[in-house]
Amino acid sequence: MYLGLDLGTSEIKAVVIDGEGQLLASAGEPLEVSRPQPHWAEQNPDDWWQATQRAVGRLRQKLPQQWAEIRAIGLSGQMHGAVLLSRDGRVLRPAILWNDTRSAAQCEQLTQAAPELHEVAGNLAMPGFTAPKLLWVARHEPQIFEQTATVLLPKDYLRWMMSGEKVSEMSDAAGTLWLDVAKRDWSDSLLAACGLSRDQMPRLVEGSDVSATLKNDIARAWGLRDDVIIAGGGGDNAASAVGIGAVTPGDAFISLGTSGVLFAVNDRFRPNPQSALHAFCHALPNSWHQMSVMLTAASALRWYCTLIGSNETTLLAEIAQLSPAQQRQAPLFLPYLSGERTPHNDPQATGVFHGMTHSTDRATLGYSVLEGVAFGMADGLAVMQQAGTQLQQCSLVGGGARSDRWAQLVSDALDLPIVTHTGGEAGGALGAARLGWLAAGGDFAEACRKPEIARRFQPQAENRDMLRERLHTYRQLYQQQVALRNA
């Protein structure tokens, strides 16, 4: 059996699969994000570790007879975060997360200091990436920067706690802006531009390789053998791709989690940074991917539910009762609650409801939120198409995949067939478990097969013209926001 751990922004998720790839059990533990100042988003790494131990304990209770048969652990996690360790292994400050946008000024600093950045890293310098975060720390917290002996990504902090080994893998490391993505190795010049060296970086392995072994004391505490291996794993989206079998060129998926992602597999490094597309290594050897990212997706729905004092199930049921005429008259929603990455690269972008009247009710605004996120994904698809990538179908994973209403809306807005999968809600945790299976010698075709399709959603022609018109206005609203800001 194989254990997959996915360190998300809002929860740590853990799953167990057997030697045939069947999902046997899952458990989740919630996490909170601290926002002590505008544009800041932080978490305490110790909270990740405590939540991980609780999730593992719950899985152990669910599988008391089979638990000891676990042979490997895979890791997945939120990308771009910065965990700073001292020489003696102390966490020096709260981890700065992927959706923290405080380092906008440092992006320009990095671009000027490293003219080779776009060619080597394959991406624009954006506040979400790890490198600008370290430049911010160097500028605003120099005493912390001077004590930093190691920089770890979030999931790799869990690996360090589990094994005592400081290791990362290619897909997550590609999101730091310190990796030579084509060569799959740290770039000394990009590190130097941030005042760092490879001595402060973790060792690199491929996601399907063995990275470490579970420490004896952790193995005993968790009730596992002392020879359980830990796979390299993957960044959350690369691991999710493995989980739904997106492992060959042309495969694609959309993830509606805290953030929204459109992910397409490539057979080579295909950077196109001027379009705000990301180009990263995949979690599998000799494989890369392009990725469009919006910073607020399912988290917009959670935000709105909190605002109105409702829950997602109740709200989605109310939205389902709206007529086509009510949808056409719904306000437009710009989902930029944390700024935006693709296609705008704009940390100052803000959320907007536009077009409210006395007849606007909470269900109508709820529809606006779903539609606004779907339009954000349509913007990502347009950018990907401009870069020469054509998609025939997308899988849908993440929390948003639980809503048939949202899945159909995404299909209509993108004019693209959408499929959901049995077990697709396991996302990165399932992919992490599969990478553990591969590291333990599992067959590639078995470990990376596509899971069973649960539902298919075809674009509905009757909605296409209405959504295209609303998407056009949606895009104009953002341009008006920029114009007002620059006035």
Side-chain angles (χ1 to χ4, degrees):
M1 300 212 306
Y2 309 98
L3 170 64
L5 299 172
D6 178 42
L7 171 56
T9 315
S10 58
E11 74 169 342
I12 177 80
K13 183 151 189 150
V15 304
V16 173
I17 62 173
D18 63 17
E20 296 181 351
Q22 297 300 310
L23 183 65
L24 300 183
S26 64
E29 286 289 326
L31 296 167
E32 298 293 330
V33 175
S34 171
R35 300 182 183 277
Q37 297 189 43
H39 303 293
W40 288 32
E42 300 181 339
Q43 286 178 326
N44 184 343
D46 186 60
D47 291 344
W48 300 338
W49 180 236
Q50 298 304 322
T52 298
Q53 300 211 76
R54 290 194 299 271
V56 167
R58 289 177 57 197
L59 277 184
R60 185 179 179 183
Q61 290 177 349
K62 290 183 177 184
L63 299 168
Q65 304 303 318
Q66 302 150 290
W67 181 252
E69 296 303 313
I70 288 174
R71 293 292 178 266
I73 300 171
L75 299 174
S76 166
Q78 49 172 298
M79 296 177 66
H80 315 305
V83 181
L84 310 185
L85 299 182
S86 66
R87 198 166 298 279
D88 59 359
R90 288 181 299 110
V91 175
L92 293 170
R93 68 171 327 283
I96 307 177
L97 304 187
W98 60 274
N99 54 349
D100 184 294
T101 57
R102 76 182 75 175
S103 61
Q106 283 70 39
C107 292
E108 180 62 28
Q109 177 186 343
L110 178 59
T111 302
Q112 293 180 357
E116 73 278 23
L117 175 69
H118 298 165
E119 179 182 352
V120 175
N123 294 277
L124 295 176
M126 300 181 182
F129 288 104
T130 319
K133 294 177 173 62
L134 268 291
L135 287 173
W136 184 93
V137 173
R139 170 69 176 83
H140 295 279
E141 299 175 349
Q143 72 285 2
I144 298 293
F145 186 80
E146 289 169 5
Q147 295 178 69
T148 300
T150 307
V151 182
L152 291 179
L153 294 160
K155 79 173 192 319
D156 301 326
Y157 175 80
L158 294 184
R159 185 196 326 272
W160 181 66
M161 294 296 291
M162 292 161 56
S163 69
E165 298 286 338
K166 297 172 181 176
V167 185
S168 191
E169 46 69 47
M170 306 304 173
S171 66
D172 216 356
T176 63
L177 296 184
W178 293 319
L179 195 77
D180 186 322
V181 179
K183 294 181 179 177
R184 304 173 86 92
D185 189 19
W186 296 120
S187 165
D188 292 308
S189 66
L190 296 183
L191 286 166
C194 296
L196 299 168
S197 72
R198 66 172 61 221
D199 291 341
Q200 293 164 286
M201 296 296 110
R203 176 170 57 87
L204 290 172
V205 300
E206 294 289 349
S208 55
D209 287 347
V210 177
S211 69
T213 303
L214 202 60
K215 287 194 296 187
N216 290 341
D217 60 330
I218 301 299
R220 285 193 299 272
W222 287 5
L224 297 175
R225 292 168 27 156
D226 58 9
D227 61 349
V228 173
I229 62 172
I230 304 172
D236 49 4
N237 295 298
S240 292
V242 174
I244 54 96
V247 296
T248 58
D251 290 342
F253 76 89
I254 291 168
S255 173
L256 291 181
T258 300
S259 60
V261 170
L262 174 57
F263 182 112
V265 181
N266 307 121
D267 60 359
R268 64 189 186 278
F269 178 43
R270 293 177 58 190
N272 195 6
Q274 65 270 21
S275 66
L277 266 184
H278 301 322
F280 295 144
C281 300
H282 204 339
L284 299 167
N286 303 311
S287 184
W288 288 260
H289 67 86
Q290 291 173 316
M291 191 164 68
S292 165
V293 178
M294 57 186 299
L295 293 178
T296 303
S299 53
L301 184 62
R302 289 195 296 272
W303 163 81
Y304 179 65
C305 285
T306 300
L307 206 62
I308 64 172
S310 184
N311 58 71
E312 294 180 19
T313 301
T314 300
L315 180 63
L316 289 168
E318 294 175 7
I319 293 171
Q321 300 304 311
L322 295 175
S323 68
Q326 288 173 306
Q327 294 174 24
R328 283 194 298 271
Q329 295 165 6
L332 286 160
F333 176 66
L334 301 188
Y336 308 140
L337 301 179
S338 296
E340 190 52 296
R341 195 176 291 181
T342 309
H344 305 308
N345 188 25
D346 184 359
Q348 304 303 320
T350 57
V352 172
F353 278 114
H354 174 81
M356 292 188 287
T357 69
H358 283 296
S359 63
T360 302
D361 59 19
R362 73 180 201 172
T364 308
L365 287 180
Y367 169 82
S368 300
V369 171
L370 299 187
E371 182 192 65
V373 173
F375 284 164
M377 298 308 307
D379 274 350
L381 177 62
V383 167
M384 196 168 280
Q385 290 170 336
Q386 291 166 11
T389 298
Q390 299 298 320
L391 304 179
Q392 303 303 314
Q393 174 179 288
C394 267
S395 297
L396 180 65
V397 301
R402 292 192 290 265
S403 168
D404 287 354
R405 179 76 174 187
W406 211 348
Q408 184 62 59
L409 188 54
V410 170
S411 177
D412 292 341
L414 275 62
D415 196 19
L416 193 68
I418 297 293
V419 298
T420 59
H421 298 275
T422 303
E425 69 278 1
L430 176 59
R434 287 180 162 202
L435 289 167
W437 187 7
L438 287 172
D443 177 74
F444 180 86
E446 281 292 308
C448 295
R449 70 177 182 270
K450 291 177 172 57
E452 180 182 348
I453 291 176
R455 293 289 307 276
R456 293 182 185 271
F457 301 88
Q458 295 291 335
Q460 297 180 349
E462 60 268 27
N463 295 330
R464 185 179 302 131
D465 291 342
M466 181 268 287
L467 288 172
R468 282 179 178 170
E469 184 177 323
R470 288 175 63 82
L471 176 58
H472 177 71
T473 306
Y474 168 93
R475 289 168 172 166
Q476 287 182 317
L477 287 172
Y478 170 72
Q479 295 303 326
Q480 289 176 6
Q481 182 182 118
V482 173
L484 285 171
R485 195 192 314 152
N486 294 334

